[in-house]
Amino acid sequence: VITYVWMTGVRKYMLESYRHGTARVMRPEELTGYQANGQAQGIYIGGGEYHYTKRGHTITVAGTRAGKGTNLIIPHLLGATDYDGSLVVLDPKGENTAITGIYQASRRDREGNPRSVKILAPFQQLEKLKDLHPGDTRFALLDQLQQHIVGFNPMDILKSSKDPREIPDDAQMLAQMIVPEMPGGGKEDYFNDQARSMIAGILTHLTTEENSPNLNILWDILRAESKKPSIEQLKEAQTKEDRTKLYGEWEIFVTGMAKSDAFDGIISKTGHAIASLETTSNREAASVKSTARKWTDFLKSPLLRPGLQSHASNFNPNTLSEGNTALYVVIPADKLESHGAWLRLVIGACMKAVIRKPQKDVQFILDEFYALGNMPMVETALGAYSGYGVRVWAICQSLTQLR
């Protein structure tokens, strides 16, 4: 009886001991392997002298207002490590950009070349910081960062490949960033899949029809007038031009897709599929088109649209793998959900560019990591892209955000 009671007590103790896992605070002797001898490559992990230098990915989990920016991200970006590769920094508040951007711009690589600093901040979050924090000396140099603010057209990546045959695949990747795969399944998955396929086909077609294709054109096309003439109207039309005028802009565009002979008929088959669906089941076709409109609604933003134009796009993600670029992606917290697709497009295009031309390491410092939503490219990056120089530092408030 005594033995049984003792064993029961031990088992309860063990269960309680491991209720929250086996993680614990490191002992002082275990930290010695993370101390830097002088400056160290890798990621700064605190304590003034500790760095994680192993090649691979890192995750930081700490609650809101726990000091992730002050104690880890900002020191890292201000040179607490001797990391000399490129950076992609997701910065929801804009504070990390405001405090560290000038320092990054002052850096030079080992050959003496000045670092290129690019800031994607279409929602004017940096301009708002001065009003939000009047007299705060941390933001005294904000005006000097204006010259680094750029636009970016994600569709530029479609023509960046040396092999044009990759364009349909890259268009599919962009479509997946816009219409992510959602967990749960069901009827909604069907319409999401159809909308994703429609968007991929439109993006591919735009590369053959437009000198400077961009996502603004995608938004316009999906909302173009739809009009089909009656048989009587077609009979009354005297010329081909008269008959064309009877159709809406949407029908004319889809017909152009169906007639395309580019990419071994991929565009043509997509155009025929859209037209066939509209003929056999107009209600279903309307639902697919409505789904595509829903996922592209973020593109109507008057602040976002100017930077998506190719003439305003002065950031080339292909420079990241050269090892001397710092890209800051600034988006307000209230836009994280509504404009998550824009974030996925930017991060996805950057990762695609790095793995397409791997040279030097590129750190992706992704604060509020959960805001990217379901993004297969990041999931793949965590398992396979480290060999291509992609280093992901995911930063979350809790582990539940990863589910």
Side-chain angles (χ1 to χ4, degrees):
V1 174
I2 295 174
T3 302
Y4 172 78
V5 172
W6 180 78
M7 289 297 294
T8 301
V10 169
R11 186 163 59 206
K12 286 183 178 180
Y13 171 78
M14 295 297 290
L15 288 173
E16 289 298 320
S17 298
Y18 294 102
R19 178 184 293 273
H20 302 292
T22 58
R24 59 175 173 78
V25 176
M26 295 181 73
R27 301 184 184 93
E29 62 271 17
E30 294 174 315
L31 284 169
T32 55
Y34 297 93
Q35 287 178 303
N37 297 318
Q39 290 287 76
Q41 290 281 330
I43 292 176
Y44 175 73
I45 58 175
E49 58 179 339
Y50 299 110
H51 305 78
Y52 186 80
T53 58
K54 297 178 181 179
R55 295 175 66 84
H57 309 298
T58 311
I59 184 170
T60 297
V61 181
T64 181
R65 309 300 298 175
K68 298 183 291 293
T70 302
N71 296 304
L72 294 177
I73 302 173
I74 290 176
H76 178 73
L77 295 175
L78 287 178
T81 68
D82 196 27
Y83 173 74
D84 62 349
S86 290
L87 297 161
V88 176
V89 184
L90 176 53
D91 184 14
K93 298 177 183 177
E95 294 181 358
N96 297 337
T97 306
I99 295 171
T100 69
I102 294 299
Y103 169 78
Q104 286 293 326
S106 70
R107 293 191 62 188
R108 293 181 176 273
D109 64 14
R110 299 187 187 281
E111 287 74 41
N113 302 308
R115 170 160 290 221
S116 175
V117 172
K118 305 291 185 181
I119 302 173
L120 290 176
F123 303 103
Q124 300 181 343
Q125 183 68 5
L126 294 181
E127 289 85 339
K128 297 174 184 176
L129 279 176
K130 278 190 174 182
D131 297 329
L132 292 172
H133 306 279
D136 194 326
T137 56
R138 294 178 303 166
F139 310 128
L141 301 178
L142 270 176
D143 292 340
Q144 297 182 33
L145 291 176
Q146 294 300 314
Q147 61 181 311
H148 299 287
I149 294 179
V150 298
F152 175 55
N153 176 14
M155 287 194 68
D156 285 347
I157 198 171
L158 297 183
K159 292 191 174 182
S160 66
S161 174
K162 293 181 180 179
D163 188 347
R165 293 174 298 178
E166 292 184 345
I167 289 178
D169 294 325
D170 289 345
Q172 183 66 31
M173 182 269 292
L174 293 182
Q176 194 169 47
M177 300 300 105
I178 296 172
V179 187
E181 296 179 3
M182 306 298 290
K187 187 177 180 180
E188 188 176 348
D189 270 4
Y190 170 78
F191 290 109
N192 284 339
D193 291 344
Q194 294 299 312
R196 190 182 303 116
S197 178
M198 176 187 287
I199 289 172
I202 292 173
L203 294 178
T204 305
H205 186 49
L206 288 179
T207 64
T208 67
E209 294 291 305
E210 300 285 339
N211 292 326
S212 302
N214 61 76
L215 294 177
N216 293 333
I217 303 175
L218 170 67
W219 188 90
D220 294 339
I221 288 170
L222 288 172
R223 289 153 184 83
E225 178 190 18
S226 179
K227 183 178 64 174
K228 293 182 179 179
S230 64
I231 296 176
E232 288 75 17
Q233 287 175 314
L234 287 172
K235 288 180 178 179
E236 293 173 2
Q238 299 296 316
T239 64
K240 182 179 179 181
E241 184 179 350
D242 290 336
R243 288 192 294 272
T244 300
K245 291 178 180 178
L246 295 174
Y247 290 91
E249 186 181 350
W250 169 253
E251 283 73 22
I252 294 173
F253 183 84
V254 172
T255 300
M257 291 181 64
K259 291 180 177 179
S260 173
D261 59 359
F263 302 110
D264 295 326
I266 291 175
I267 298 174
S268 177
K269 288 180 173 62
T270 304
H272 281 296
I274 295 172
S276 176
L277 185 61
E278 291 180 335
T279 301
T280 58
S281 179
N282 190 55
R283 185 175 179 181
E284 183 179 341
S287 296
V288 171
K289 194 173 177 183
S290 177
T291 302
R293 286 173 173 173
K294 177 189 74 173
W295 285 107
T296 57
D297 199 46
F298 72 98
L299 294 170
K300 71 183 180 184
S301 168
L303 293 173
L304 184 61
R305 287 175 70 88
L308 296 174
Q309 302 282 352
S310 289
H311 65 79
S313 179
N314 38 11
F315 164 63
N316 181 2
N318 292 317
T319 62
L320 287 169
S321 60
E322 296 172 6
N324 201 25
T325 297
L327 172 68
Y328 291 91
V329 185
V330 182
I331 181 171
D334 61 350
K335 299 288 193 302
L336 283 173
E337 183 174 353
S338 61
H339 292 70
W342 177 72
L343 280 180
R344 290 191 294 272
L345 285 164
V346 172
I347 301 301
C350 289
M351 283 191 175
K352 187 74 172 179
V354 173
I355 65 172
R356 180 169 282 169
K357 192 179 71 171
Q359 296 182 55
K360 298 182 179 179
D361 286 359
V362 180
Q363 283 185 357
F364 287 78
I365 304 176
L366 305 179
D367 198 1
E368 302 296 355
F369 179 65
Y370 75 94
L372 293 174
N374 188 12
M375 190 171 171
M377 178 169 283
V378 171
E379 294 178 15
T380 304
L382 294 175
Y385 288 176
S386 59
Y388 293 88
V390 173
R391 303 283 177 263
V392 176
W393 180 6
I395 301 164
C396 308
Q397 293 184 19
S398 67
L399 289 175
T400 58
Q401 290 183 335
L402 299 177
R403 296 175 183 171

